[in-house]
Amino acid sequence: MQLTMFVVVPLVLLLSGVAIESATVKQKMPFEVRFPTKTGARILRRELDLEISNPKGKIKEVKVLRRRRQTTTEEQEFLDAHNEARFNVVPKAANMKKIKWSNELAQVARNYAQQCNWAHNPARTTDTKALTSQFSYVGENLYATSVSSVDPKSAVQSWDSEKSSYNYTNQACLGVCGHYTQVVWANSEYVGCASHTCPTFTGLPTSFNGGTIVVCNYGQGGNYNGQQPYMTGTPCTSCPSGYSCSNGLCVSGGDSNGSQTSSTTEDGDCFEGDGSNYQGQASTTVSGKTCLVWSSVYDFLPSNNYCRNYFSAYGVTEPVCYYQPGSYYVEPCGLPKCGSK
Ligand SMILES: *[C@@H]1O[C@H](CO)[C@@H](O)[C@H](O)[C@H]1NC(C)=O
Ligand SMILES: *[C@@H]1O[C@H](CO)[C@@H](O)[C@H](O)[C@H]1NC(C)=O
């Protein structure tokens, strides 16, 4: 037995004040740095165990762990299922953003899933605002099954399957379509999901006892009345400014297509110390490659900067960046040291 539930229309949009950022997030971050030596290069491969006290910026603690084989995490499965659905809309979407993970949305989803309540979390927006000021409205999809574990893909596919009832042209729906339109809401760039196995549920028959609830929260929430979830057209032809194209979806920052470049000299800024605190926008490596935004490599890292030295504990002495999606290889940004130029 399966059930789904979604939110149709956001009620009021209120801009939040100052965010309280008290969340502590633990994350692993594999990396590889090549140090030039007289005889070639020394390659350092490690996995950092990070404790991030403020997901927007500062890393508190860095420890080495033995590098492990990458496994597909539940988080990645939720993301992949969403992005697959977002790419496969019919008709095609011209402005569909690639969806990214939000630890804050996931934390709110986790807290709520644990309550085993088959009803929307009326506090999801305010709960999220207590962790981040990123979203003025948070959307939510729910899924419940009488089975004790859930595959993220099944939940997302059940929401996505409503597309057969949805007519894009006139937004007509035969039955329920709101989960689908939230999954493919072009402007919902972040998602955070959680599942929880519940001995009993509030709001569901006892036949669900021992089953699982899935909660996905979306920022910025979608399903605005009278709006279509996305613009139709050739994929990526209407990405917002500052976005580039990655596999038919719009991604912020970086440049996956080689069309835009910026140079460190143009940015004209410099770093101090070992570059751990550098927050500038310089985005080219010493060898001229275009840096990725950190958050496009690891969702838990900030999206507002490209060059940073997270590896100073390993003797790295200047800001570095990633330039290749899916690779752990980082390269110095070639920024000048302040005062030496
Ligand atoms: C969707 O709605 C439009 C406009 O009313 C109509 O012309 C079209 O046939 C509908 N498409 C489907 C698949 O029902
Ligand atoms: C971007 O990538 C697409 C797909 O590979 C390609 O067709 C297009 O020409 C590229 N655009 C630029 C500006 O390089």
Side-chain angles (χ1 to χ4, degrees):
M1 192 171 353
Q2 291 178 350
L3 289 173
T4 57
M5 192 184 273
F6 70 100
V7 173
V8 187
V9 182
L11 303 173
V12 197
L13 294 178
L14 289 172
L15 290 176
S16 66
V18 178
I20 305 155
E21 291 171 341
S22 56
T24 295
V25 181
K26 290 199 167 130
Q27 287 289 352
K28 298 190 189 310
M29 180 162 85
F31 74 99
E32 179 181 316
V33 191
R34 245 163 268 185
F35 295 101
T37 63
K38 282 176 198 158
T39 53
R42 183 166 67 88
I43 298 174
L44 178 69
R45 290 191 188 90
R46 288 283 190 282
E47 183 172 63
L48 300 191
D49 200 352
L50 307 178
E51 185 177 287
I52 304 170
S53 58
N54 172 355
K56 278 203 164 63
K58 210 172 168 67
I59 288 179
K60 254 182 147 178
E61 201 179 298
V62 177
K63 279 188 303 192
V64 189
L65 287 189
R66 286 185 63 191
R67 194 170 167 202
R68 292 186 202 156
R69 186 176 295 166
Q70 286 290 102
T71 55
T72 309
T73 60
E74 191 180 68
E75 169 184 324
Q76 195 59 50
E77 287 173 33
F78 275 117
L79 286 177
D80 290 348
H82 276 91
N83 282 318
E84 194 181 327
R86 290 166 76 83
F87 177 69
N88 287 317
V89 288
V90 180
K92 283 288 177 200
N95 66 335
M96 188 67 76
K97 288 180 182 172
K98 183 171 183 178
I99 212 161
K100 299 190 275 194
W101 194 257
S102 158
N103 285 318
E104 291 87 356
L105 291 173
Q107 185 177 327
V108 171
R110 194 175 316 116
N111 291 344
Y112 191 68
Q114 286 165 2
Q115 294 181 25
C116 300
N117 188 3
W118 185 246
H120 280 291
N121 175 8
R124 62 188 180 278
T125 297
T126 47
D127 289 354
T128 304
K129 281 183 182 176
L131 303 173
T132 174
S133 57
Q134 250 178 313
F135 315 114
S136 60
Y137 171 70
V138 172
E140 185 179 68
N141 277 351
L142 300 179
Y143 170 92
T145 167
S146 52
V147 178
S148 66
S149 72
V150 72
D151 163 27
K153 202 174 172 130
S154 321
V156 178
Q157 280 177 346
S158 91
W159 298 329
D160 185 48
S161 67
E162 292 166 6
K163 75 173 158 193
S164 60
S165 314
Y166 183 71
N167 184 328
Y168 177 91
T169 311
N170 57 7
Q171 299 166 62
C173 176
L174 296 168
V176 175
C177 302
H179 307 94
Y180 166 67
T181 51
Q182 173 60 83
V183 167
V184 303
W185 200 265
N187 206 33
S188 295
E189 193 168 8
Y190 289 88
V191 69
C193 306
S195 62
H196 190 75
T197 306
C198 298
T200 60
F201 289 91
T202 305
L204 286 179
T206 54
S207 55
F208 278 86
N209 288 359
T212 311
I213 187 166
V214 174
V215 180
C216 283
N217 285 342
Y218 299 83
Q220 181 71 4
N223 287 343
Y224 286 74
N225 236 354
Q227 290 184 22
Q228 276 151 327
Y230 59 86
M231 288 162 61
T232 58
T234 304
C236 290
T237 50
S238 298
C239 290
S241 131
Y243 283 67
S244 56
C245 187
S246 173
N247 298 321
L249 297 171
C250 305
V251 294
S252 61
D255 175 25
S256 48
N257 225 9
S259 56
Q260 17 158 256
T261 48
S262 56
S263 73
T264 51
T265 48
E266 194 181 300
D267 294 297
D269 50 5
C270 60
F271 71 99
E272 289 174 337
D274 57 18
S276 307
N277 294 321
Y278 177 75
Q279 291 277 6
Q281 293 295 309
S283 56
T284 308
T285 70
V286 279
S287 63
K289 295 172 181 115
T290 303
C291 293
L292 300 174
V293 180
W294 284 93
S295 62
S296 72
V297 185
Y298 294 108
D299 288 321
F300 54 85
L301 287 174
S303 59
N304 60 344
N305 66 313
Y306 301 79
C307 295
R308 188 80 182 260
N309 188 359
Y310 288 117
F311 314 111
S312 55
Y314 301 94
V316 181
T317 55
E318 59 179 304
V320 295
C321 74
Y322 285 88
Y323 64 87
Q324 195 179 337
S327 145
Y328 303 146
Y329 180 49
V330 294
E331 193 172 279
C333 297
L335 279 167
K337 186 123 183 170
C338 297
S340 69
K341 208 183 166 191

